[in-house]
Every structure is written in C-alpha cells, then in structure tokens.
C-alpha cells in the first residue's frame, strides 16, 4: 500500500542514514519514558534488524499506549523549525506513534522567526497503526535542489529494498524553497515488510 501527501518539511539525512540498509549502524532510538530526546539522535540512522556481525537485534518496542513527548535542539544553535519537526515526526513513527503536537521557541536568542534553538513535541498512539513493528521511517534530503517526485520515490523504494522491505508511505517536502509542480527537495518515507 502506498499513499502520497505533500508536506513543507526539511531534514538532513546523514551519510550513515543512507547506509542504514547495510546493517552496519547501531540503533539510537529515544526512550519513550524519557522526558527529553537529544538533538543528536537521528532515527534515520537506526539499524533495522541486523548488525555487522550477523547477530539479530531485539525487536522494536511495542507501540506506546499513552502519549509521551520530548525536546529537540540544544538551546544555542539556530535550526529551521521544519527540520526539528521532521526529526520529531520520525521519532514518533519509529516508536509506532503519531506526531500529535509540535511547537518551538519563537524567541530563541539570535534566531529568526523560522529558526529556533529548541522545540517540543508530543507523540500519541497512532490512529492507523503501521502493519508491522518492523516498519521504520526515515528521510531523503537533497538540500536546496528540487528533484522530481518520481526520483525521490525511486530512492526511497531502493532504500527500503536494501533492508528487504517495501515502500509503505511517502510524503514530499520543500522546506523553505518553492519547487516546480511534481518536484520536492525531500521525502519522509516509511518502509514495511
């Protein structure tokens, strides 16, 4: 099943995030019982079922039954609010939840109206749970370069296939740029078995 939507979201996928399908990256998912999440945690870097030495990792935790939240940003570095929103979305989806609330400090010292040094989010049980706890969500980001959505779809499908899964959901974003119709700079996507 594949569904499409448009989102004005921006997030940077690291090189390790692109290599997540190789099985050589350890998971760094937030503890849903924790009140905060480190700004350095990138759920896109999570290994999805294997490690380099072939050992199986424990299965992901069951979806939360109550809402939980956290904080993103270091309080000093100005970041686009949409980048932090993407990070919050990925964090929630990788825990089997939906992003229910996102807000950011609008008066962070030295930041503009669209950048912030700190954001707050809340995840709640998913209205439509993913079909498997083995599903994972990540992001492809081309920075300031608009790409045809077909290209983003092919990239996401290839990343899913590297882990033996298939593309379940994809949403396109342009961040703060304006792209021509049927193009975007980034894609948030979910892979499932």
């Amino acid at each position: 099943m594949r569904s499409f939507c448009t989102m004005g979201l921006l997030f940077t996928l690291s090189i390790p995030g692109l290599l997540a399908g190789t099985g050589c990256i350890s998971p760094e998912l937030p503890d849903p019982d924790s009140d905060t999440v480190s700004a350095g945690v990138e759920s896109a870097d999570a290994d999805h079922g294997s490690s380099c030495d072939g050992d199986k990792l424990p299965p992901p935790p069951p979806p939360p039954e109550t809402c939980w939240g956290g904080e993103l940003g270091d309080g000093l570095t100005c970041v686009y609010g949409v980048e932090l929103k993407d990070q919050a979305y990925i964090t929630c989806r990788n825990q089997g939840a939906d992003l229910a609330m996102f807000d950011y400090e609008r008066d962070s010292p030295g930041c503009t109206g669209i950048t912030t040094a700190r954001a707050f989010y809340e995840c709640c049980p998913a209205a439509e749970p993913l079909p498997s706890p083995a599903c994972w969500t990540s992001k492809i980001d081309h920075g300031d370069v608009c790409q045809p959505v077909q290209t983003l779809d092919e990239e996401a499908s290839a990343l899913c296939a590297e882990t033996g899964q298939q593309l379940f959901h994809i949403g396109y974003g342009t961040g703060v740029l304006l792209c021509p119709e049927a193009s975007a700079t980034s894609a948030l996507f979910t892979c499932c078995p």
Side-chain angles (χ1 to χ4, degrees), residues 15-122:
I15 295 301
L18 292 173
L19 299 175
T22 65
C24 295
I25 299 171
S26 61
E28 293 184 32
L29 297 176
D31 179 2
D33 296 328
S34 171
D35 290 332
T36 61
V37 175
S38 166
V41 172
E42 292 188 27
S43 298
D45 293 347
D47 180 20
H48 304 288
S50 65
S51 63
C52 290
D53 60 9
D55 295 334
K56 284 289 186 187
L57 294 174
E65 295 181 14
T66 61
C67 296
W68 53 275
E71 182 178 310
L72 298 169
D74 62 8
L76 302 171
T77 308
C78 297
V79 180
Y80 283 111
V82 294
E83 289 183 26
L84 295 178
K85 186 173 185 180
D86 282 357
Q87 193 173 357
Y89 173 84
I90 290 170
T91 298
C92 292
R93 292 309 289 163
N94 281 333
Q95 295 293 322
D98 285 334
L99 179 62
M101 184 279 299
F102 178 83
D103 197 13
Y104 62 90
E105 288 182 354
R106 284 159 177 70
D107 59 352
S108 296
C111 298
T112 66
I114 60 173
T115 60
T116 185
R118 189 180 326 273
F120 309 92
Y121 67 93
E122 182 176 59

Side-chain angles (χ1 to χ4, degrees), residues 1-6 128 153 167-172 188:
M1 177 179 148
R2 187 179 304 169
S3 59
F4 298 88
C5 63
T6 302
E128 294 183 37
D153 187 44
L167 186 61
F168 175 75
H169 175 269
I170 189 166
Y172 306 102
L188 286 168

